């Protein structure tokens, strides 16, 4: 199979209808899932493309989804006509610098998630889709055995990435290798990379740059050897006297394609969803067990008595004992983990539960769990932290287990404490889920029933499938109200939550920067920064822009998102939420005629030659640059090549410099030689208006342009002026390339099209944040406020029978015993991560949520007390985490800073660096706990 094909270049597509494709892929997928085995190959495909294809092939299907995970029963809700997807484009999964033609597989991004970013497809499914659509790059991965009993199958999305250090020379190299490969294979590849003899080299487990174990069992797998993602392997050269006798001849060395110059990704645990519209084939598939070994034996879980004896705990500690003040050693940027663990460990309900015998509740059958291993490791660590004494504990066993099940947290990089906390709570819940066989329960519509009845029904359904100590302590329920923006249909559901993520922005508006272009050549591009409602829609942005740029009655603005100098998408739906447009996106607005019958967009893509060096020779390649231009043309009359010429000349006319030579070279096509012909255009006025631009366009000879047809081939528009251009009735855009050589670049103001600004450019962090505090109540109100859904979560309106970007409002309904609140200090974008230094004024006592709970049946006040929080100090990547924790039996606050613990005053608790807050419900008698932390 060819690794990369031209986008849209797949063959044989004309013979398949959407229904044919749907049925064929469904049948292939079901067969592949039933017959999957270790060693099979699966392929990553971007979720965005997969969802487009699913919508395309299901557009004529009724909405009969019944919750079944098979592709056979999953249908798209939309009924509007969708265009056939273009070629498969996996570029958003890989790093920009990844070379499609390289021998090694491209490096995929660090923290991709199945079902959100990508889908895993069996080889047969990928082959069929690839034959229809083409595209790439190809991202193949192998199926391996996993789990405690090695009977489960998982796709190894991220093989191990190891840092090889050769001593005594000190050379470094990076290698990708499956964790199921043997120590012997690692030994061989290390010798290949450094060009050494096998018999003169030994390798060591060099975790933390310490010699932990000599890796001499050549048949042991790297998984069994407990080798972790991104750890170092010491390649030690023996008897290296004067450097002789060790280096093999270059002719015998082999380029195995595994060595890399740079490590760029982090292993992500494949999810365990089954084949579906959202998740593709399951990344983990459990094998049946004839018998289940006792959990205390299979997971080496000590009994409460054994564990307490091991760590010096002899039952319930007395009030005067020094317990609960044990720190955690920082293993290297693990403060994010230490702070989150300390908060969980000092949650009284968890401290009591994990110090008792909980082995009977461990669920090793749960395919969504970690075979009980995460719960065992956490309980073991908790017992050590609650043992008498204050000697810091090094949590390496727990970190190794964490890296095994959540490799995104492996290595020594700084991570987000809240993301780890979310993983731990979810993982512990699945490991301790008391439900062994989850029933399928179809939720009923409210149909006018009282909220109390519907909420209780939803909660009972949830508990029937999810019942654990985590649910008992941390899970609550909120009411979700959706309103269709078209028919005003109201839908009410009641959903569980584990924690609340509250926004910190108090403002209700945002600034957005958009560059406006004309299609008639009447004006230069102009950049506008406007203020719009933060939760507004595209129609709000278009309205403001229309007023600023004096839009005429016969004109309209067409918004487009530009990525990599190409139009990524047109924002045609006026109801699209502005919250889906990120600050680092690039937006262009095009003035086009309003009343164009049967219109199609003409996209003018600029390209220039860039030199690429490789294999000792330099080659030139045409690559897109600058900002595309757009015009609208009608398909009512025949469109000729001459028409395209005139429209293009008009669009380009504002770029012509005054007193420029009468030449404009536009060499077209990656395979065409650069034309030396010149196009004359005179200009005598600096003022650009429609008449002048029209005269310029009329004076310009034909530009040698290329039009991309439906098959991806280029048509030369510089010849055959009268020839008609065939445009499919289903096409919405026509792409034309204009390739700029050096001379016309010097005579035209193409720089006006370069450097399209971001929607919002972050500047230095404002130092006034502390003087303008936000109330925690204000953050909560912003979280509950009605706002439009993002496109990925579009709601199917049963009344309109279409997917709609509905408005959503939340109300708290059922509050948990422990309320975890995440303050969203980090703003994510594709290129970077920003931190908000906003000071949040949060209550330590009497956090009153009574007025925010929609369920009015309870007459008791909903009061909470703060007992723990995590802090994040500093900037991105170089920051530091700590925890403030109140020992309830001492009624005193402490600062947990890794291994160092010190008492603090309650006034110090209101930290400007607060990140995750832990509140406990105040009981009706005024206390916040009827269980002491000590046991």
């Amino acid at each position: 199979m060819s690794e990369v094909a031209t986008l849209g270049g797949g063959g044989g597509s004309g013979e398949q209808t959407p229904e044919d494709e749907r049925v064929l892929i469904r049948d292939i997928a079901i067969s592949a899932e039933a017959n999957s085995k270790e060693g099979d190959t699966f392929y990553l495909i971007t979720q965005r493309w997969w969802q487009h294809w699913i919508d395309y092939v299901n557009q004529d299907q009724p909405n009969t989804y019944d919750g079944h995970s098979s592709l056979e029963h999953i249908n798209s809700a939309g009924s509007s006509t969708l265009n056939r997807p273009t070629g498969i484009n996996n570029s958003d999964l890989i790093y920009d610098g990844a070379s499609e033609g390289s021998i090694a597989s491209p490096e995929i991004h660090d923290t991709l998630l199945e079902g959100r970013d990508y889908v895993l497809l069996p080889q047969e499914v990928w082959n069929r889709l690839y034959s229809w659509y083409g595209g790439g790059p190809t991202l193949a991965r192998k199926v391996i055995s996993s789990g405690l009993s090695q009977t489960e199958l998982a796709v190894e999305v991220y093989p191990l990435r190891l840092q090889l250090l050769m001593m005594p020379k000190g050379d470094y190299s990076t290698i990708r290798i499956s964790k199921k490969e043997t120590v012997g294979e690692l030994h061989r590849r290390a010798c290949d990379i450094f060009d050494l003899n096998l018999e003169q080299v030994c390798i060591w487990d060099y975790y933390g740059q310490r010699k932990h174990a000599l890796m001499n069992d050549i048949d042991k797998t790297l998984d069994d050897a407990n080798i972790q993602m991104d750890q170092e392997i010491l390649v030690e050269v023996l008897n290296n006297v004067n450097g002789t006798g060790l280096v093999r001849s270059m002719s015998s060395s082999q380029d195995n394609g595994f060595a890399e110059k740079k490590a760029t990704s982090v292993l992500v645990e494949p999810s365990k969803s089954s084949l579906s519209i959202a998740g593709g084939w399951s990344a983990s598939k459990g094998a049946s067990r004839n018998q289940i070994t006792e959990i205390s034996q299979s997971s080496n879980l000590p009994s409460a008595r054994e564990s307490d004896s091991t760590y010096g705990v002899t039952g319930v500690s007395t009030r005067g004992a020094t317990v609960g003040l044990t720190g955690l050693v920082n293993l290297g940027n693990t403060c994010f983990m230490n702070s989150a663990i300390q908060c969980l460990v000092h949650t009284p309900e968890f401290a009591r539960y994990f110090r008792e015998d909980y082995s009977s509740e461990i669920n090793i059958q749960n395919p969504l769990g970690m075979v009980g291993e995460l719960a065992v490791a956490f309980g073991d660590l908790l017992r050590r932290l609650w043992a008498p004494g204050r000697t810091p504990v090094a949590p390496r066993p727990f970190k190794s287990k964490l890296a095994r099940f959540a490799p995104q947290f492996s290595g020594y990089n700084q991570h987000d404490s809240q993301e780890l906390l979310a993983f731990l709570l979810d993982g512990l819940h699945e490991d301790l889920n008391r439900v062994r066989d989850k029933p399928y329960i179809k939720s009923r519509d409210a149909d006018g029933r009282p909220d109390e009845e519907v909420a209780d029904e939803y909660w009972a359904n949830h508990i029937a499938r999810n019942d654990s100590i985590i649910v008992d302590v941390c899970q609550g329920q909120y009411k979700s109200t959706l309103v269709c923006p078209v028919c005003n249909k109201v839908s009410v559901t009641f959903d569980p939550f584990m924690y609340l993520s509250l926004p910190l922005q108090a403002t209700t508006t945002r600034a957005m920067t958009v560059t406006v272009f004309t299609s008639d050549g009447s004006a230069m591009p102009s950049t506008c920064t406007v203020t719009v409602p933060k939760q507004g829609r595209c129609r709000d942005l278009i309205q403001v822009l229309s007023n600023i740029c004096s839009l005429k009655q016969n004109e309209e603005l067409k918004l487009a998102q530009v990525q990599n100098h190409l139009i990524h998408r047109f924002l045609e739906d006026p109801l699209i939420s502005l919250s889906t447009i990120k600050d680092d996106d690039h937006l262009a607005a095009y003035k086009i005629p309003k009343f164009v019958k049967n219109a199609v967009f003409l996209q003018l893509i600029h390209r220039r030659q860039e030199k690429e060096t490789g294999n000792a020779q330099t080659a030139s390649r045409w690559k897109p640059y600058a900002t595309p231009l757009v015009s609208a043309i009608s398909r009512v009359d025949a469109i000729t090549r001459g028409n395209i010429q005139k429209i293009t000349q008009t669009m380009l006319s504002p770029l012509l410099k005054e007193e420029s030579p009468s030449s404009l070279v536009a060499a077209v096509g990656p395979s065409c030689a650069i034309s030396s012909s010149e196009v004359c255009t005179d200009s005598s006025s600096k003022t650009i208006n429609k008449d002048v631009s029209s005269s310029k366009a009329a004076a310009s000879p034909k530009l040698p342009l290329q039009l991309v047809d439906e098959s991806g081939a280029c048509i030369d528009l510089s010849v055959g002026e009268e020839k008609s251009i065939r445009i499919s009735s289903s096409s919405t855009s026509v792409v034309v390339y204009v390739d700029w050589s050096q001379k016309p670049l010097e005579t035209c103001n193409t720089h006006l099209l370069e450097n399209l600004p971001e929607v919002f450019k972050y500047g230095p962090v404002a130092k006034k944040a502390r003087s303008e505090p936000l109330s925690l109540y204000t953050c909560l109100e912003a979280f509950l406020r009605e706002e439009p859904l993002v496109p990925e979560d579009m709601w199917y309106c049963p009344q309109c029978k279409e997917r709609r970007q509905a408005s959503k409002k939340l109300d708290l309904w059922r509050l948990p015993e422990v309320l975890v609140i995440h303050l969203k200090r980090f703003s994510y974008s594709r290129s970077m991560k920003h931190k908000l230094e906003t000071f949040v004024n949060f209550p330590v006592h009497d956090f009153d949520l009574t007025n925010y709970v929609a369920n009015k049946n309870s007459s008791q006040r909903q009061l909470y007390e703060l007992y723990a929080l995590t802090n994040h100090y500093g900037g991105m990547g170089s920051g530091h985490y700590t925890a403030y924790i109140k020992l309830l039996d001492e009624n005193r606050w402490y600062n947990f800073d890794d291994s160092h613990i010190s008492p603090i005053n309650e006034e110090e608790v209101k930290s400007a660096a607060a990140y995750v807050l832990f509140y406990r419900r105040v009981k009706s008698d005024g206390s916040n706990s009827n269980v002491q932390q000590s046991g």
Side-chain angles (χ1 to χ4, degrees):
M1 179 190 298
S2 172
E3 180 162 336
V4 178
T6 304
L7 290 180
S13 60
E15 300 177 1
Q16 302 289 339
T17 65
E19 174 65 11
D20 291 338
E21 291 189 15
R22 186 185 71 84
V23 173
L24 187 56
I25 291 298
R26 179 202 64 192
D27 294 343
I28 294 175
I30 292 174
S31 174
E33 182 175 8
N35 299 297
S36 59
K37 61 185 182 303
E38 187 174 3
D40 286 352
T41 301
F42 277 71
Y43 292 81
L44 277 74
I45 190 169
T46 176
Q47 169 70 25
R48 183 185 306 170
W49 189 96
W50 174 254
Q51 186 63 54
H52 186 174
W53 180 83
I54 289 291
D55 291 341
Y56 165 69
V57 299
N58 282 287
Q59 57 186 314
D60 296 326
Q61 298 296 313
N63 182 40
T64 57
Y65 175 51
D66 62 359
H68 198 281
S69 63
S70 170
L71 185 64
E72 178 181 6
H73 293 274
I74 295 181
N75 299 292
S76 172
S79 59
S80 58
T81 301
L82 294 174
N83 293 328
R84 187 174 188 272
T86 56
I88 298 169
N89 184 1
N90 281 336
S91 60
D92 57 346
L93 299 182
I94 64 175
Y95 284 97
D96 293 339
S99 172
E100 294 181 355
S102 63
I103 297 176
S105 178
E107 279 287 331
I108 64 178
H109 284 292
D110 293 354
T111 54
L112 301 179
L113 293 177
E114 184 186 2
R116 183 193 72 182
D117 303 307
Y118 69 88
V119 176
L120 287 167
L121 301 179
Q123 183 169 3
E124 297 85 352
V125 173
W126 167 265
N127 289 345
R128 188 60 61 122
L129 289 175
Y130 185 85
S131 69
W132 291 336
Y133 294 94
T138 300
L139 303 171
R141 295 295 187 267
K142 292 291 186 181
V143 175
I144 61 173
S145 59
S146 66
L148 189 65
S149 60
Q150 296 294 301
T151 57
E152 298 179 3
L153 298 181
V155 178
E156 191 176 28
V157 176
Y158 289 85
L160 285 175
R161 179 177 56 207
L162 304 177
Q163 313 296 327
L164 304 182
L165 171 61
M166 184 183 73
M167 295 297 289
K169 193 173 180 181
D171 289 348
Y172 263 97
S173 185
T174 303
I175 187 174
R176 279 284 191 186
I177 186 170
S178 171
K179 64 182 180 181
K180 291 302 178 182
E181 286 288 7
T182 63
V183 169
E185 178 63 14
L186 175 62
H187 190 181
R188 184 190 68 78
R189 292 187 186 177
C191 291
D192 281 347
I193 290 170
F194 294 119
D195 205 29
L196 301 169
N197 290 319
L198 288 170
E199 62 273 11
Q200 298 294 333
V201 173
C202 64
I203 58 176
W204 291 81
D205 178 351
Y206 204 50
Y207 185 96
Q209 296 193 331
R210 290 179 52 205
K211 284 185 176 180
H212 287 282
L214 177 65
M215 301 175 67
N216 55 3
D217 187 348
I218 62 174
D219 295 324
K220 178 181 286 188
T221 68
L222 300 181
D223 194 21
D224 292 337
N226 200 25
I227 301 302
Q228 305 297 323
M229 175 69 76
D230 282 331
Q231 80 160 70
E232 288 182 303
I233 299 294
L234 178 63
V235 181
E236 190 173 41
V237 181
L238 307 176
N239 302 322
N240 188 9
V241 181
N242 298 325
T244 60
L246 298 182
V247 180
R248 301 184 296 179
S249 65
M250 291 299 293
S251 60
S252 65
S253 65
Q254 298 178 351
D255 180 6
N256 55 28
F258 287 92
E260 300 175 345
K261 296 290 184 185
K262 176 168 130 181
T264 53
S265 63
V266 180
L267 179 62
V268 176
E269 179 73 6
S271 74
K272 301 170 179 63
S273 57
S274 59
L275 180 61
S276 68
I277 187 171
W281 187 82
S282 66
S284 179
K285 184 176 180 180
S288 60
R289 296 181 175 90
N290 294 327
Q291 36 179 270
I292 300 175
T293 310
E294 288 294 326
I295 187 65
S296 58
Q297 299 174 358
S298 63
S299 296
N300 298 317
L301 172 66
S303 66
R305 182 174 299 175
E306 291 170 345
S307 180
D308 290 349
S309 176
T310 302
Y311 298 110
V313 181
T314 57
V316 178
S317 301
T318 62
R319 189 176 176 83
T322 308
V323 293
L325 292 176
T326 303
L328 287 166
V329 176
N330 192 320
L331 303 176
N333 279 332
T334 56
C335 57
F336 77 97
M337 179 182 76
N338 293 350
S339 61
I341 287 175
Q342 291 286 14
C343 289
L344 291 181
V345 162
H346 287 85
T347 298
E349 291 84 354
F350 295 156
R352 179 178 59 179
Y353 177 88
F354 284 99
R355 293 174 66 192
E356 296 174 351
D357 185 358
Y358 59 96
S359 60
S360 61
E361 294 203 337
I362 291 183
N363 188 341
I364 65 173
Q365 297 174 279
N366 189 352
L368 300 179
M370 289 78 176
V371 206
E373 293 185 29
L374 184 66
V376 171
F378 180 79
D380 185 22
L381 181 58
L382 181 143
R383 285 186 169 94
R384 297 183 64 184
L385 291 175
W386 277 101
R390 299 184 64 172
T391 302
V393 172
R396 189 189 177 193
F398 179 81
K399 186 178 186 301
S400 297
K401 194 67 66 176
L402 180 69
R404 183 184 298 274
F405 292 110
Q408 63 266 35
F409 298 118
S410 63
Y412 298 100
N413 294 324
Q414 184 68 276
H415 295 283
D416 191 322
S417 179
Q418 186 273 333
E419 292 178 359
L420 172 72
L421 181 67
F423 170 81
L424 283 179
L425 288 173
D426 186 63
L428 290 173
H429 159 64
E430 297 296 354
D431 266 3
L432 299 170
N433 197 345
R434 302 173 185 115
V435 179
R436 294 320 197 243
D437 185 15
K438 293 186 178 183
Y440 168 70
I441 304 174
K442 186 174 182 180
S443 299
R444 296 168 53 202
D445 292 333
D447 289 333
R449 291 182 292 159
D451 282 349
E452 292 78 10
E453 178 185 338
V454 179
D456 289 344
E457 180 181 286
Y458 269 81
W459 186 253
N461 293 345
H462 175 65
I463 295 299
R465 294 173 54 85
N466 301 276
D467 183 17
S468 70
I469 181 64
I470 306 300
V471 175
D472 297 342
V473 175
C474 293
Q475 287 198 359
Q477 185 184 34
Y478 58 74
K479 175 185 176 182
S480 175
T481 305
L482 292 169
V483 181
C484 178
V486 177
C487 69
N488 294 321
K489 165 72 175 177
V490 177
S491 173
V492 176
T493 58
F494 292 85
D495 304 308
F497 67 84
M498 189 90 75
Y499 54 87
L500 301 178
S501 288
L502 306 188
L504 298 190
Q505 295 89 342
T507 60
T508 58
T509 61
R510 68 182 290 200
M512 299 186 73
T513 300
V514 184
T515 303
V516 180
F517 300 87
T518 64
S519 62
D520 60 4
S522 60
M524 292 286 195
S526 60
T527 299
C528 307
T529 299
V530 298
T531 300
V532 293
K534 180 170 290 185
Q535 301 302 333
R537 300 179 184 267
C538 276
R539 63 188 176 194
D540 300 314
L541 177 58
I542 293 173
Q543 181 62 50
V544 176
L545 288 173
S546 300
N547 295 336
I548 288 180
C549 66
S550 302
L551 197 69
K552 300 175 184 177
Q553 289 187 348
N554 62 344
E555 293 178 324
E556 65 176 335
L557 282 180
K558 190 65 64 175
L559 273 178
Q561 183 181 346
V562 178
Q563 285 185 12
N564 300 321
H565 312 292
L566 300 172
I567 291 181
H568 173 62
R569 61 169 176 159
F570 285 105
L571 303 173
E572 297 186 83
D573 186 350
L575 297 178
I576 291 176
S577 172
L578 294 180
S579 62
T580 65
I581 301 174
K582 307 305 180 185
D583 285 337
D584 64 342
D585 283 341
H586 301 266
L587 292 185
Y590 300 97
K591 283 186 179 182
I592 62 173
K594 191 173 186 179
F595 305 107
V596 179
K597 294 182 179 180
N598 200 7
V600 62
F601 297 126
L602 188 152
Q603 298 183 30
L604 186 65
I605 308 298
H606 308 273
R607 301 195 301 183
R608 65 182 175 187
Q609 277 192 322
E610 294 184 8
K611 292 183 178 180
E612 295 182 344
T613 304
N615 300 325
Q617 59 183 359
T618 301
S620 294
R621 180 181 177 187
W622 289 103
K623 289 189 175 181
Y625 92 110
T627 307
L629 297 177
V630 174
S631 184
I633 54 179
S634 174
R635 283 180 288 200
V636 174
D637 300 322
I639 303 174
T640 65
R641 298 182 182 184
N643 296 145
I644 302 295
Q645 284 280 342
K646 291 178 182 178
I647 295 171
T648 302
Q649 290 167 3
T650 299
M651 286 193 291
L652 292 175
S653 58
L655 305 181
L656 300 179
K657 292 181 179 179
E658 300 302 323
E659 301 178 358
S660 64
S662 57
S663 64
L664 182 61
V665 178
V668 290
S671 60
C672 296
I674 298 177
S675 172
S676 60
S677 62
E678 297 185 340
V679 179
C680 293
T681 302
D682 292 328
S683 177
S684 58
S685 173
K686 293 184 179 180
T687 302
I688 298 179
N689 55 48
K690 190 169 183 179
D691 295 333
V692 175
S693 62
S694 298
S695 64
K696 285 184 181 182
S700 300
K702 290 178 292 186
L703 299 174
L705 307 171
Q706 283 195 341
L707 180 143
V708 182
D709 67 11
E710 295 176 11
S711 66
C714 291
I715 300 174
D716 189 353
L717 300 181
S718 63
V719 296
E721 182 176 350
E722 302 301 325
K723 287 187 177 181
S724 296
I725 295 173
R726 183 174 175 270
I727 301 177
S728 170
S729 59
S730 62
S731 296
T732 58
S733 293
V734 174
V735 175
V736 173
Y737 290 137
V738 53
D739 294 347
W740 297 90
S741 59
Q742 189 59 38
K743 285 187 178 180
L745 281 176
E746 295 172 354
T747 60
C748 295
N749 292 312
T750 55
H751 69 275
L752 296 172
L753 303 178
E754 301 177 25
N755 302 319
L756 189 67
E758 295 179 350
V759 168
F760 181 79
K761 186 71 174 179
Y762 277 85
V765 176
K767 294 185 178 180
K768 63 180 181 180
R770 181 61 190 251
S771 62
E772 297 179 0
L774 271 179
S775 165
L776 185 61
Y777 292 105
T778 302
C779 299
L780 178 60
E781 289 163 6
F783 171 75
L784 299 175
R785 186 184 302 126
E786 181 176 346
E787 63 180 35
L789 294 173
V790 297
E792 292 80 6
D793 297 329
M794 287 180 68
W795 170 64
Y796 177 76
C797 176
Q799 191 161 295
C800 295
K801 299 191 182 304
E802 288 192 20
R803 295 171 70 195
R804 299 293 190 193
Q805 193 170 13
S807 295
K808 181 178 183 179
K809 185 182 185 307
L810 299 178
D811 292 287
L812 299 178
W813 187 267
R814 186 189 307 267
L815 294 179
E817 291 300 308
V818 170
L819 179 62
V820 181
I821 296 180
H822 164 224
L823 303 178
K824 296 177 70 174
R825 292 198 176 275
F826 300 128
S827 174
Y828 295 86
S829 64
R830 282 184 297 273
S831 59
M832 63 184 66
K833 185 178 177 185
H834 313 286
K835 183 184 178 184
L836 300 173
E837 299 287 354
T838 309
F839 176 72
V840 179
N841 186 10
F842 54 90
V844 176
H845 304 287
D846 297 330
F847 181 32
D848 193 349
L849 297 177
T850 306
N851 294 333
Y852 298 94
V853 178
N855 183 4
K856 303 303 181 183
N857 279 355
S858 175
S859 59
Q860 295 182 354
R861 294 178 65 192
Q862 304 291 327
L863 295 178
Y864 283 81
E865 294 269 331
L866 186 75
Y867 73 92
L869 70 149
T870 64
N871 299 297
H872 181 269
Y873 301 94
M876 304 309 306
S878 59
H880 180 61
Y881 287 95
T882 66
Y884 290 168
I885 294 172
K886 183 179 184 180
L887 293 191
L888 300 181
D889 51 358
E890 292 186 17
N891 196 30
R892 189 173 186 180
W893 284 91
Y894 289 87
N895 175 27
F896 285 71
D897 187 355
D898 290 328
S899 57
H900 180 70
I901 300 174
S902 57
I904 59 173
N905 296 323
E906 187 171 288
E907 292 74 21
E908 300 177 64
V909 171
K910 286 198 172 185
S911 165
Y915 185 41
V916 181
L917 308 173
F918 291 76
Y919 284 93
R920 298 193 71 241
R921 185 194 296 274
V922 176
K923 305 299 181 183
S924 57
D925 59 359
S927 67
N928 67 348
S929 175
N930 54 10
V931 181
Q932 290 191 339
Q933 249 176 337
S934 59

